[in-house]
Amino acid sequence: MTCRSIGRADAGIMGAFFIDAPPMLPADPIAAVTHADPYPYYRHLAQSRPFHFDPALKLWVAASAAAVAEVLGHSDARVRPVGQAVPPALAGAAAGELFGRLIRMNDGPAHAALKGIVMARLMRLDLDRVRVRTQQLAAALPRATSDDAHEAMRWMFTLPVLAVADTLGLPLHHDEDGHVSTRMAGFVATYAAAMSPLASAADVEAGNVAAQWLTRNVEQCADAAPHDGLLAALRQDAALADIAPPKWIANAVGLMIQACEATAGLVGNTLVALGREPTSARDNINARVARVAHDDPPVQNTRRFMAADAIIGGQPLRTGDTILVLLAAAAHDPDGAGPAEDRPWTFGTGRHGCPGAALAQMLAASTVQALLDRGVRPERLLPGLRYRPSVNARIPQFQ
Ligand code: HEM
């Protein structure tokens, strides 16, 4: 099959487009995530159908900045369906146990106390120090091949996660040549893939192994973790707040998981943006990452599940209804500003808003810079650009 023969139906199944696919609108807001250029469609939705029901998807869709903010601020719009704390595919094994403990996946008291701790501790991180340590980690990652696409893919999914592990204070093993082990990042990526609704039974099985390994690793390292590291700080705050070890340990693992796919997407989308502009136009990488987080965001949507009947966007919603919250459409809403000054919509807002936004952008910029320093040329990545199949994350898959 040639690139040009991929029609809309095929693209829906594959969830991926070649960049020279014929320009057509995405079939729906889920196909938009991996579409070559979904932004005119998002803009149109935000303006013409700010909050509507999509009968084919059986989802309410929040598209305008105002509707997205209203949903994310609504107390009855929850991160999990009522009565289903863990997706059935993950329930009953290690992957589900970890999932059920993450603040990202809980509301109410199970979320609030630990979220406050995580947020306060991430806000107090010394980002300059983390940047320097990330550069040191980059220096310890060997260039495995001369293939730019391969290197970019490998680093996107490795360096940010290793940097978060290092910030926590988890030991990262080095071989006799001084090269850092990427094992931790491998397990994190495996777990993150298992959480996707597109995961196969084999992905979930691998996710169970990864969940066990990651949890055990944090448990076993906790006592010896450096006192000035993030893990020791989380442990201390959790003890003061009477939060049991399994919960804060799961959420320490959770920080690496949250850092994985979304930051990989931000790195990849920044490389795409750099590849599309002349080398002479390349400005400060930090500024470029911030612009990409707004213009071509890695997290395109999130979901909410109604725990009570409510009026949202002027429409009557029923308990059990699901809302697809289009963060990427809010970013392109001509009538909408950001959720807060300097904060791109891709990091969400409200009580579940991302506490790692500043860290993520710094890690993405450091990873892009390290790749450029290693001689990776973004323009060479473009001919093989596709997007990884996903219902919510826009992550380039360079071929
Ligand atoms: C470009 C990278 C990232 C993006 C786009 C991103 C985006 C998001 C979004 C949209 C949410 C909220 C989801 C929702 O409300 O449904 C979220 C939650 C979260 N993120 Fe990030 N994130 C990124 C990187 C990170 C990093 C590096 C960390 C920490 C090391 C992190 C930690 C978290 C945590 C702990 C939550 C759960 C917060 C809660 O549920 O209250 N994220 N992120």
Side-chain angles (χ1 to χ4, degrees):
M1 183 161 55
T2 65
C3 303
R4 296 219 170 263
S5 71
I6 295 176
R8 177 173 287 173
D10 297 327
I13 294 162
M14 294 171 61
F17 280 80
F18 288 90
I19 54 164
D20 61 348
M24 53 187 174
L25 290 178
D28 59 47
I30 296 186
V33 172
T34 51
H35 188 273
D37 179 15
Y39 301 111
Y41 167 75
Y42 278 140
R43 247 189 310 278
H44 178 69
L45 267 191
Q47 284 195 301
S48 63
R49 310 181 72 197
F51 189 78
H52 66 278
F53 187 72
D54 184 318
L57 295 176
K58 298 191 179 62
L59 297 169
W60 289 94
V61 178
S64 68
V68 166
E70 184 181 350
V71 174
L72 295 182
H74 201 288
S75 57
D76 293 324
R78 307 283 168 82
V79 290
R80 292 293 308 155
V82 175
Q84 196 201 86
V86 173
L90 300 184
E97 207 167 294
L98 176 57
F99 184 102
R101 291 182 175 139
L102 297 176
I103 53 173
R104 166 74 185 81
M105 303 302 171
N106 280 279
D107 281 296
H111 167 257
L114 200 44
K115 171 67 180 287
I117 290 172
V118 167
M119 218 159 77
R121 287 296 180 175
L122 288 179
M123 262 171 64
R124 282 161 59 182
L125 272 187
D126 178 349
L127 288 186
D128 286 332
R129 183 170 169 222
V130 180
R131 183 182 293 109
V132 170
R133 292 193 63 104
T134 305
Q135 286 160 353
Q136 287 165 352
L137 281 169
L141 273 174
R143 177 159 187 153
T145 70
S146 58
D147 178 350
D148 279 3
H150 184 270
E151 283 305 285
M153 290 301 296
R154 203 165 68 89
W155 283 47
M156 278 159 56
F157 283 96
T158 304
L159 187 53
V161 174
L162 292 185
V164 173
D166 179 69
T167 304
L168 283 163
L170 299 175
L172 297 172
H173 297 291
H174 289 73
D175 66 16
E176 59 272 20
D177 295 323
H179 295 151
V180 65
S181 162
T182 57
R183 196 163 181 219
M184 181 92 73
F187 277 119
V188 170
T190 299
Y191 185 78
M195 291 169 88
S196 163
L198 305 179
S200 66
D203 294 334
V204 171
E205 200 38 55
N208 284 324
V209 175
Q212 280 169 333
W213 190 90
L214 290 163
T215 306
R216 205 172 337 111
N217 188 275
V218 172
E219 261 165 16
Q220 288 173 352
C221 296
D223 283 341
H227 296 303
D228 59 349
L230 185 55
L231 191 62
L234 294 176
R235 179 188 199 173
Q236 184 191 324
D237 295 354
L240 287 172
D242 234 358
I243 294 169
K247 280 189 64 185
W248 66 259
I249 288 170
N251 282 282
V253 173
L255 292 183
M256 294 187 281
I257 295 164
Q258 293 293 145
C260 179
E261 295 194 340
T263 317
L266 186 53
V267 171
N269 295 341
T270 304
L271 290 169
V272 170
L274 291 175
R276 285 180 177 154
E277 65 198 16
T279 321
S280 56
R282 283 182 199 157
D283 53 5
N284 175 293
I285 298 293
N286 295 319
R288 201 71 190 89
V289 165
R291 274 214 305 286
V292 169
H294 177 273
D295 295 347
D296 191 19
V299 175
Q300 300 248 313
N301 67 57
T302 186
R303 288 180 193 225
R304 289 296 185 268
F305 306 89
M306 294 308 294
D309 295 355
I311 303 287
I312 295 187
Q315 313 255 21
L317 271 71
R318 308 295 301 271
T319 307
D321 283 356
T322 304
I323 311 171
L324 186 66
V325 183
L326 302 185
L327 300 169
H332 285 266
D333 179 352
D335 301 327
E341 209 183 323
D342 282 349
R343 186 176 166 96
W345 278 104
T346 194
F347 294 105
T349 186
R351 63 192 183 282
H352 280 280
C354 181
L359 174 64
Q361 291 180 85
M362 186 280 283
L363 292 176
S366 300
T367 306
V368 169
Q369 190 61 60
L371 282 165
L372 297 178
D373 293 347
R374 290 296 181 93
V376 167
R377 302 242 304 272
E379 61 279 11
R380 279 202 228 142
L381 303 172
L382 298 185
L385 171 63
R386 284 200 272 172
Y387 289 96
R388 224 169 97 137
S390 173
V391 296
N392 70 328
R394 184 169 179 81
I395 309 175
Q397 192 168 335
F398 302 119
Q399 302 287 305

